[in-house]
Every structure is written in C-alpha cells, then in structure tokens.
C-alpha cells in the first residue's frame, strides 16, 4: 500500500504561512500535539466504557522525546490510533480545512498573535517547527493495519504501511533549521512545565540519545535500550479537579506555592465548581497585596481541561478579578478556534457573571460569619473590593453591604452603619448626611481637629483609588455627600440652619477683605469673610472639593485634562468673628498688612503649604513682630 495525494487543490499552500505567521509563539506546537495525544487516550477510554471497545485500555501515557542527532522530536501516545482512512479524513481533510479557516480568520486580525496563544492551530501547528512531519499509527480497531503518513510541508502527502506494533500514535517532527533550539532538554522541559504541569494523563519526558545494545530481535536486528531516566513531569490530579470536601487548608496553600513559588500566603480562596449552564472549575486566591504595583506579577492561569492556555486572561475574566490569583479551567474556552471561537463570546460573558457572583458571595459570607477576621483582612482586600465596585455594577450592589469605611480612630463601619452613626450631627440643612474624609491625615491635621472639636467624625480615604471611589460612591448613594475636611471651613462643610451671625458691619467686612487681598497679592487665592465660631482659626485656606476632584482625576488620566491644567486656586476664609480680625481692623495701616500676611502664612504653615522663600520671609517677619 502506497498512496500519494494532494491535501488540497483548492486552497493556496498554507504551510509557508504557518511557518512564518506565528514565529514567536511557535512553542505551542507541543501543547497542540500533546493535547491531541491526550484526546486520543481519553477517546479510547470513552469507547471502552461505552462497550465499543473490548480490548485492554491500560494506563494512558504520552511520551515526549527528542533525538538531537537525527533532529527529531517525537510525541507518542497509547490512545485509539488511526487507520489510513481516518488519517485521510481527520488529518488531510478536517484538520487541514480547520487550519486553513483559522489562518484566514486571523491573518488580518490585529490581535492575531494573542489569539494564537489561546486558540491553537491544531495538528498543523507542527509545521511551525518541522520541515517534515511523520505519523506512525495503529488503530484500536480489530484487524487494523499500521499506517504511516508523511508530509514535507508542501500540500503533497504520502500514505503507506506503517511500522507501529502497538495501539496508538507517534508524531515524529523533523525539526527545521530555524527551530533547532527545541532540540534541547531544558528548552523542552520549560515548555512542558508551562503547558503540561497539570495534564490529566501522565506525560513522560526523556531523551532518546543514549542507547545501549540489548541483544537482537527475531529478525536479527539489534534491540536498543534507553539508559537515561525518564520522568513523569505532570500532576494528573491537580486540586482544582478534586472535591472541596476532600481538601484541607494545607492543600490549598501548598497548591498556591506550587503555582507561585516564593509568594506570600494568600488570605483566602474560592473553589469554583460549575456544571451548568457551562463547565468551569478552578480556585481563585485572594492575595495579600497592598500596592497596585505588586498586582501585575502573579496572574490567573487559564486552563482548558487541564491544558494550560494562557495567563493573559484579560477578556475572559472581569478586569477587577485579575487582581486575584489562581487557576480557571473551562473546556468552554476552547483550544480550537474553528470549532467554537464564535460562541466563546456569550460563554465568556456567562463565566464572567458567575465568577463575579461567587467572589461577592464569598466576601459576603466571610463578612457575615466572622466579622472580626474580615476586618483584619480588610486592609489587604479593600483595593480589590473598591476596584470591583467601581468597575462592575452587579458587584457594587453586593459589595456596598460589606465594603468598610475606616475613620481616624481606626474604627470600621459599613456604609449603612456609618450613615446611621454620623447622621445625628452631620446632616446638613438640605437633609444630606455629610461624610467628612481626610486623604492625608498628617497634612490635614488642623482640619480634622476643627471637625472633631464639633464631635464630627472623619474618615480616612488615602489610597490611590479613593479619589475615583469617592465620586462614584457619592453618585450612587442617595442623600450622602462626601467632603474632604480641607475643602472648606467647617461651618460650610456641613451647613446648618442656625447660622452664626457676623459681628462685622458691611463696611468693616469690605475693609478686611481689602486688607487681606493686598497682603496676599495673589489672584489664585480668593478671599472671603465667613461668620465662624470665635474659637475657630482666624484664617483657613481650602481648595474647593469639586475643583480638587477634577484636578485629581485629570492627573490620574480620567479624561479631565482641562481642569488638570488649571493652576491651583484656593479659598482664603477669614473668620470675621475672631478677635485677631478686630485687632487688625484697629491697627495702623502698616501693621495691618503685616498681621494679615502673618495670619495667612500661619494657616499655610499648618497645612504644609509654606515653603522656600515664603517660609524664610515668614520667619524674618515673625522675628520683627516679636
Ligand atoms: P482537533 O484536535 O481540534 O480536532 P487537530 O488539528 O489538533 O484538531 O487534530 C485533528 C484530528 O486529527 C483530531 O481531531 C484527531 O481526529 C486526529 N488526531 C490528531 N492527533 C491524533 C492522535 N495522536 N491520535 C489519534 N488521532 C489524532
Ligand atoms: Mg488538537
């Protein structure tokens, strides 16, 4: 039996495209061929369990080996094998048209390279690294003959009698000149570690370079024997495939270290296990991470039936969940794009929704069952929860019940609890409850003090995400306003009905304004006379909440560049009821200016705004005044 033929007469020769197209990702050929080997083993098991195969199934095994001298890499399995007719059907026709379709679809796609990593090219990806590919196979079927298929990277193939004597398939790659780097133990070991660490069938990896004579067979041919030790390189039952009831905390922690060696232990985890409406398993860990910088390092790994696909899970997992670590395994995220990439979209959406719900359920449960330990972890998870609330409305709805606010006394409250706590004193004349917060308690100390003097409470919102978070929460919460303590004088932060009256006449008021304007001599500082308590500070410098938020968002790249470019402008509030103001009014013209400037500088000093030449001038003026 010998047959030559043309794989395809209709399409252009795709082999040169395969070879060039994905050069940098060419290592995936190994993943593709090993997945096929595993499929073949699992198909045989299925046939056996369905009673369609009566023979011995045995232990499934995939062997990967290479021969540096002959420049070959061989992937062997003891799966169901193929007859010559099946090779024609599956390799020449179905797989070929699948590969052609794949290349067509992604030839022009912008993110083609990224896609290829996730969704392979199948059997034909072997031509990325091989000039000639050979199949030696023997089908499980009764009376099947061994078959051999060879293709040299043109559309011509040859089928002839094969030499395999046991059921299964060898794929022999004759490695091309540009890919000889793969004929290396460490290179292959690295790829196997990446893609095959958790495959469900044992993978044996060895080199077949060292042979020993071991007698002769019945035809007088020498029998050779490998001397190098082969290793099973994978864990066929990773813990995400097991039932949570069979696992201990130690198992989860050990698996975490296996995934991310040298990383700090995670806080807690979720074991995902869904059968319907899609199939998904996995373990998501909440890492102990505080800064946004650290987040990029360890990533969620995506598997499809235990085959590693990628750790670029961007479109598959909601963005905020990318802060988590662990594995997700779903056959719904396919290896072969021609089969199901089109339907992936809706599946991916369902997967997103499901994971988001699981995560918020877990947090809600922790919060409910053990508030104390939840509070201890809050510091580590707050960034994650806030990010989630900002980016996902469903998550927001759940998380608003377990998201915690911290005040300057380090007490933790949910939004509802906090509203109830501060409402009696901090409700303004419009009926809105004002949440005061500090973004930098050190710098805003004098403002915090003014607030606490009135028994107001002050929150600490000092992480980089908080400026976004503040606007978002305020927008979503009814009758709650958030104001930074230094955004206005205390009387105006929470405006009440009963206003304190001003002791100054209209004439005096204008005079004070004039004195201060002259003393400050800066158009970005707007002077205003306020009727405050006589014990409040005589001068307070503030930046309007709205203006400040716009500027902050501009800096963070929130599309508010217009405001970001504004110079900083401040309000200078003069407490008209303070005795120092009366003193300034009654002083000589020269002293008036000095005292006014001194009062403004003191306010600046208490807010850390007085530096450089202005500070030096302040010091010499103080000495003069003394
Ligand atoms: P897919 O795996 O998505 O079907 P491939 O291009 O990877 O696409 O493989 C094409 C087909 O070739 C497989 O579906 C299978 O029928 C056959 N095949 C490939 N490798 C093997 C193997 N090791 N044993 C048996 N059949 C195989
Ligand atoms: Mg395949």
């Amino acid at each position: 039996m010998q047959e030559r033929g043309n794989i395809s007469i209709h399409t252009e020769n795709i082999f040169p495209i395969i070879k060039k197209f994905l050069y940098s990702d060419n290592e995936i050929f190994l993943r593709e061929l090993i997945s096929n080997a595993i499929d073949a083993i699992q198909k045989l098991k299925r046939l056996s369990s369905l009673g369609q195969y009566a023979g011995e199934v045995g232990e499934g095994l995939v062997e990967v080996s290479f021969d540096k001298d002959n420049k070959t890499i061989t992937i062997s399995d003891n799966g169901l094998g193929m007859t010559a007719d099946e090779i024609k059907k599956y390799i020449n026709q179905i797989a070929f048209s699948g590969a052609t379709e794949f290349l067509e679809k992604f030839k022009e796609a912008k993110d083609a390279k990224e896609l290829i990593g996730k969704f392979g090219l199948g059997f034909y990806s072997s031509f990325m690294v091989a000039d000639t590919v050979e199949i030696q196979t023997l089908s499980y079927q009764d009376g099947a003959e061994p078959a051999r298929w060879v293709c040299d990277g043109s559309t011509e193939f040859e089928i002839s009698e094969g030499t395999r004597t046991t059921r299964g398939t060898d794929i022999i790659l004759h490695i091309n000149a540009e890919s000889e780097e793969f004929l290396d133990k460490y290179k292959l070991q690295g790829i196997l570690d990446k893609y095959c660490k958790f495959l469900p069938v044992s993978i044996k990896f060895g080199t077949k370079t060292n042979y020993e004579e071991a007698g002769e067979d019945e035809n007088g041919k020498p029998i050779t024997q490998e001397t190098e030790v082969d290793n099973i390189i994978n864990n066929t039952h990773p813990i995400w495939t097991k039932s949570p009831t069979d696992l201990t905390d130690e198992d989860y922690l050990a698996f975490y270290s296996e995934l991310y060696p040298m990383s700090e232990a995670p806080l807690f985890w979720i074991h995902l296990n869904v059968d319907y409406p899609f199939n998904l398993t996995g373990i998501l860990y909440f890492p102990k991470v505080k800064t946004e910088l650290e987040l990029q390092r360890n990533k969620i790994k995506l598997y499809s039936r235990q085959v590693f696909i990628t750790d670029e899970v961007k479109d598959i997992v909601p963005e905020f969940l990318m802060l988590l670590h662990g594995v997700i395994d779903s056959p719904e995220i396919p290896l072969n794009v021609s089969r199901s990439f089109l339907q992936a979209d809706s599946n991916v959406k369902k997967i997103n929704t499901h994971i988001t719900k699981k995560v918020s359920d877990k947090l809600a449960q922790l919060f409910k069952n053990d508030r104390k330990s939840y509070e201890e972890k809050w510091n580590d998870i707050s960034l994650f929860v806030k990010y989630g609330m900002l980016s996902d409305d469903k998550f927001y709805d759940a998380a608003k019940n377990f998201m915690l606010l911290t005040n300057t006394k380090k007490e933790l409250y949910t939004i509802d609890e906090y509203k109830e706590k501060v409402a009696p004193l901090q409700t303004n004349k419009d009926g809105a409850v004002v949440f005061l917060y500090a973004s930098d308690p050190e710098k805003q100390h004098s403002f915090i003090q003014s607030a606490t003097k009135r028994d107001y409470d002050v929150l600490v919102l000092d992480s980089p995400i908080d400026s976004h978070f503040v606007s978002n929460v305020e927008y979503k919460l009814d009758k709650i306003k958030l104001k930074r303590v230094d955004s206005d004088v205390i009387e105006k932060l929470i405006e009440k009905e009963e206003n304190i009256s001003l002791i100054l006449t209209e004439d005096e008021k204008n005079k004070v304004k004039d004195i201060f304007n002259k003393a400050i001599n800066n158009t970005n500082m707007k002077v205003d006379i306020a009727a405050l308590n006589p014990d409040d500070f005589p001068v307070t410098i503030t930046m309007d909440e709205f203006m400040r938020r716009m500027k902050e968002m501009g800096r963070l790249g929130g599309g508010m560049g217009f405001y970001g470019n504004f110079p900083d402008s401040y309000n200078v509030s003069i407490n008209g009821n303070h005795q120092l103001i009366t003193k300034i009014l009654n002083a000589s013209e020269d002293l008036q200016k000095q005292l006014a400037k001194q009062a403004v500088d003191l306010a600046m000093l208490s807010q850390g705004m007085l530096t450089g030449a202005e500070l030096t001038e302040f010091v010499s003026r103080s000495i003069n005044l003394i």
Side-chain angles (χ1 to χ4, degrees), residues 32 35-36 39 122-123 336:
E32 293 297 323
S35 317
N36 285 349
D39 286 348
F123 170 77
N336 191 326

Side-chain angles (χ1 to χ4, degrees), residues 32 36-37 39-40 43 77 80-82 90-91 95 121-124 169 171 336 339:
E32 293 297 323
N36 285 349
D39 286 348
K43 278 179 199 159
D77 66 68
L80 86 177
M82 283 180 278
Y90 296 126
I91 301 291
L121 195 52
F123 170 77
Y124 282 92
T169 303
I171 308 287
N336 191 326
R339 207 159 42 214

Side-chain angles (χ1 to χ4, degrees), residues 572-584:
V572 180
S573 277
I574 313 293
N575 180 1
N577 293 338
H578 197 281
Q579 60 177 20
L580 176 68
I581 305 305
T582 320
K583 189 174 167 188
I584 290 174

Side-chain angles (χ1 to χ4, degrees), residues 246-269:
D246 297 337
L247 296 165
T248 63
D249 285 359
E250 284 70 37
D251 293 328
Y252 286 103
L253 293 169
F255 183 62
Y256 188 80
S257 323
E258 194 178 342
L259 287 176
Y260 312 107
M262 321 290 285
S263 288
E264 208 176 330
L267 295 164
F268 45 86
W269 47 84

Side-chain angles (χ1 to χ4, degrees), residues 146 192 362 579:
L192 291 170
K362 175 76 186 186
Q579 60 177 20

